[in-house]
Amino acid sequence: METLEGTLIDTLRSRLAGNVLLPGAAGYDEARQIWNAMIDRRPGAIVRCASQDDVVQAVRFAREHGLLVSIRGGGHNIAGNAVCDHGFVIDLSPLKRVQVDPASRRASVEPGCTLADLDAATQAHGLATPLGINSTTGVAGLTLGGGFGWLSRKLGMTVDNLLAADVVTADGQQVHASETENADLLWGLRGGGGNFGIVTRFEFRLHPIGPEVLSGLIVFPFDQAKPVLTQFARFTETMPDDLNVWMVTRKAPPLPFLPEAVHGQEIVALALCYAGDPAEGEKLIEPLRAFGTPHGEHVGVQPYTAWQQAFDPLLTPGARNYWKSHNFSRLGDEAIDVIIDYAGRLPSPQCEIFVGTIGGQTARVAPEATAYSSRDANYVLNVHGRWETADEDERCIGWAREFFATSQPFASNGAYINFLTQDETDRIAFAYGPTYARLVELKQKYDPANFFRMNQNIAPAA
Ligand SMILES: Cc1cc2nc3c(=O)[nH]c(=O)nc-3n(C[C@H](O)[C@H](O)[C@H](O)COP(=O)(O)OP(=O)(O)OC[C@H]3O[C@@H](n4cnc5c(N)ncnc54)[C@H](O)[C@@H]3O)c2cc1C
């Protein structure tokens, strides 16, 4: 990258509406930071794109000079592929425009938008598309890996609501992908990650939601974990699609509705969201309270956008994070026992094990219909190792890996590509399962030189 100093960079700058940050420049260090503080990479240059054409120019320039490229959307991915050492970061985060057409119930979204940006724009019209549960996550990376959250049981995966996209391909061309134009590319974007090009515009289907929803937390003592988890597993198998309930077991944060003596103690929390009439939801969630004797609860009708931000304080950037994830079609007794065993010996106060419930509408799509294929995954379990200092790395990573290995025999097929860490490249084919062979062919068609390889990489066929 040294060769890029001087006149070459000036040439690039002259082609861009945005700017280029080199090491040492003001803003360079902020621009290379991502959510997971385990990743500390020093790119040779960061192109802060200010227009779709900047993306074209950046791709053509990188190709011309044989540069290693990484793509940054929201910068949340745990594997850290948004930044590369010595290479060329195409940073899309300044591209934040959202246009909502309430009549056709569609949103056109630029790739620097966070979930909060998109939710705010759509909820202004009482509409939403299913997204994740942490509002600072990037829409781009979340969508390209599949995308699920509170609304997914009712409305499907985020990719099931992706109608079209504008893409800059590896040869620097702008193409449109929809059901009628480059339909194979749209299929690949619906879960195939950043392998096929840079998406400069997403078009989503929207649905009436809220704007207020019944949602909140019910918190149980950890010594009731077995009955609570067992009843959670059975309840979630038959609950209506409008209701979603997730489970998280961790040490209690200092939440005001919990007695002070509980703060810092292990707990089991059920997080719930009902996407229909709150009065109906109240009746449906009543049995949850009887799963045990709760320490406390904070459940009520609140703006959907507020619930979408409820977990943000626990998921701030800057901590060290290591994840391992399995899919489960059913949570049986053995899996529940392993969860309780490892949740009983958390190696740091911020570590947690959570079970995100999907199923419902996500399971009613054929596995081969989109690149995301885990349609039998009714639960996505994530062991979330999270801590502050490097001297805790070994202990916390070791705990996460051991839990993952011990729970593996009870997991179902596939894995959520967006939860894979940088050391899990050997799980990519397994994660995609039945769609992997077609993804390899598509990669060969759209990116035969593997120009886009800082990702959960699908290598081209040849
Ligand atoms: C705290 C936290 C909570 C999360 N919760 C959920 C959740 O509830 N549901 C869920 O589904 N996921 C969740 N995720 C996972 C999340 O979906 C992934 O981390 C996702 O990759 C983040 O996208 P990003 O744009 O922020 O990331 P980035 O790191 O910027 O991008 C990730 C990768 O996506 C590709 N990419 C990004 N933008 C583009 C683009 N425009 N064109 C082509 N390729 C691109 C690149 O390969 C890049 O390396 C969560 C992650 C975190 C850290």
Side-chain angles (χ1 to χ4, degrees):
M1 281 299 275
E2 293 86 325
T3 53
L4 283 186
E5 303 289 342
T7 51
L8 275 180
I9 286 292
D10 289 343
T11 309
L12 174 63
R13 282 195 172 115
S14 71
R15 294 178 189 161
L16 298 174
N19 61 345
V20 184
L21 297 174
L22 299 180
Y28 170 86
D29 277 327
E30 289 82 352
R32 73 181 183 85
Q33 274 166 23
I34 57 170
W35 183 81
N36 184 4
M38 294 279 286
I39 311 292
D40 180 20
R41 298 195 182 132
R42 300 187 159 271
I46 302 172
V47 179
R48 301 264 300 160
C49 296
S51 68
Q52 296 201 4
D53 188 57
D54 280 4
V55 180
V56 174
Q57 297 304 332
V59 167
R60 290 183 182 167
F61 184 86
R63 211 181 157 94
E64 219 172 291
H65 297 284
L67 306 175
L68 174 66
V69 161
S70 67
I71 307 162
R72 182 192 176 116
H76 255 239
N77 197 276
I78 187 77
N81 287 317
V83 280
C84 51
D85 269 328
H86 315 300
F88 194 68
V89 176
I90 301 182
D91 181 358
L92 307 166
S93 59
L95 298 172
K96 280 188 165 288
R97 200 162 40 151
V98 183
Q99 284 171 301
V100 176
D101 179 1
S104 63
R105 291 188 180 160
R106 288 185 176 213
S108 167
V109 183
E110 286 193 334
C113 288
T114 61
L115 309 193
D117 297 327
L118 180 50
D119 282 333
T122 56
Q123 279 287 279
H125 304 276
L127 299 170
T129 205
L131 298 168
I133 60 119
N134 172 215
S135 81
T136 58
T137 310
V139 171
L142 177 127
T143 301
L144 292 168
F148 64 87
W150 300 115
L151 303 180
S152 297
R153 292 178 45 76
K154 181 184 174 84
L155 303 173
M157 302 290 291
T158 308
V159 284
D160 299 333
N161 293 276
L162 176 65
L163 298 171
D166 292 335
V167 181
V168 177
T169 54
D171 54 3
Q173 302 302 310
Q174 283 183 285
V175 300
H176 184 68
S178 70
E179 293 285 3
T180 52
E181 209 178 324
N182 299 307
D184 59 348
L185 181 56
L186 181 66
W187 178 89
L189 297 174
R190 287 173 163 164
N195 274 287
F196 307 109
I198 302 184
V199 178
T200 53
R201 192 184 67 86
F202 296 86
E203 191 174 317
F204 292 105
R205 184 189 295 121
L206 304 176
H207 311 261
I209 288 292
E212 296 205 313
V213 290
L214 177 72
S215 48
L217 288 175
I218 305 174
V219 178
F220 295 92
F222 188 69
D223 62 11
Q224 296 173 16
K226 183 75 191 240
V228 171
L229 263 80
T230 307
Q231 291 173 90
F232 160 79
R234 301 296 77 83
F235 181 89
T236 49
E237 283 172 357
T238 56
M239 66 186 174
D241 292 355
D242 276 3
L243 182 60
N244 205 341
V245 186
W246 291 23
M247 187 288 301
V248 60
T249 174
R250 63 176 344 268
K251 288 185 193 279
L255 296 167
F257 68 89
L258 292 178
E260 232 170 83
V262 173
H263 298 174
Q265 302 300 310
E266 283 90 355
I267 45 125
V268 178
L270 300 181
L272 64 97
C273 179
Y274 185 71
D277 172 15
E280 187 56 30
E282 280 290 2
K283 286 185 235 156
L284 287 165
I285 66 165
E286 194 49 37
L288 300 177
R289 299 182 171 107
F291 285 2
T293 310
H295 277 313
E297 70 164 64
H298 187 68
V299 176
V301 179
Q302 58 178 322
Y304 172 69
T305 50
W307 179 238
Q308 281 287 86
Q309 294 170 32
F311 291 88
D312 291 0
L314 292 178
L315 298 169
T316 50
R320 301 175 77 79
N321 292 271
Y322 183 84
W323 294 358
K324 282 280 191 183
S325 176
H326 290 303
N327 289 338
F328 287 86
S329 47
R330 186 171 189 273
L331 280 176
D333 261 5
E334 300 95 332
I336 288 170
D337 287 343
V338 180
I339 293 172
I340 295 169
D341 180 10
Y342 281 82
R345 39 199 173 106
L346 299 168
S348 107
Q350 298 184 62
C351 289
E352 62 186 24
I353 298 172
F354 85 75
V355 175
T357 310
I358 46 175
Q361 200 53 38
T362 71
R364 295 188 194 108
V365 175
E368 284 89 0
T370 61
Y372 170 85
S373 65
S374 297
R375 302 298 179 167
D376 63 346
N378 292 318
Y379 306 92
V380 180
L381 176 148
N382 198 10
V383 52
H384 180 180
R386 183 179 163 95
W387 62 100
E388 293 300 328
T389 57
D391 58 3
E392 297 169 273
D393 286 3
E394 204 181 315
R395 190 174 77 248
C396 293
I397 293 173
W399 169 79
R401 284 186 178 150
E402 201 184 297
F403 168 71
F404 172 81
T406 314
S407 51
Q408 189 153 34
F410 316 113
S412 51
N413 280 330
Y416 186 38
I417 204 82
N418 268 344
F419 285 173
L420 299 188
T421 46
Q422 53 183 326
D423 58 2
E424 295 192 297
T425 47
D426 57 341
R427 289 185 83 205
I428 296 169
F430 170 78
Y432 284 112
T435 55
Y436 187 67
R438 186 171 169 195
L439 285 163
V440 170
E441 276 172 35
L442 202 66
K443 181 75 173 178
Q444 176 65 28
K445 175 175 172 186
Y446 283 97
D447 184 17
N450 208 2
F451 176 75
F452 298 115
R453 59 184 178 280
M454 284 296 297
N455 45 39
Q456 299 299 352
N457 196 233
I458 296 162

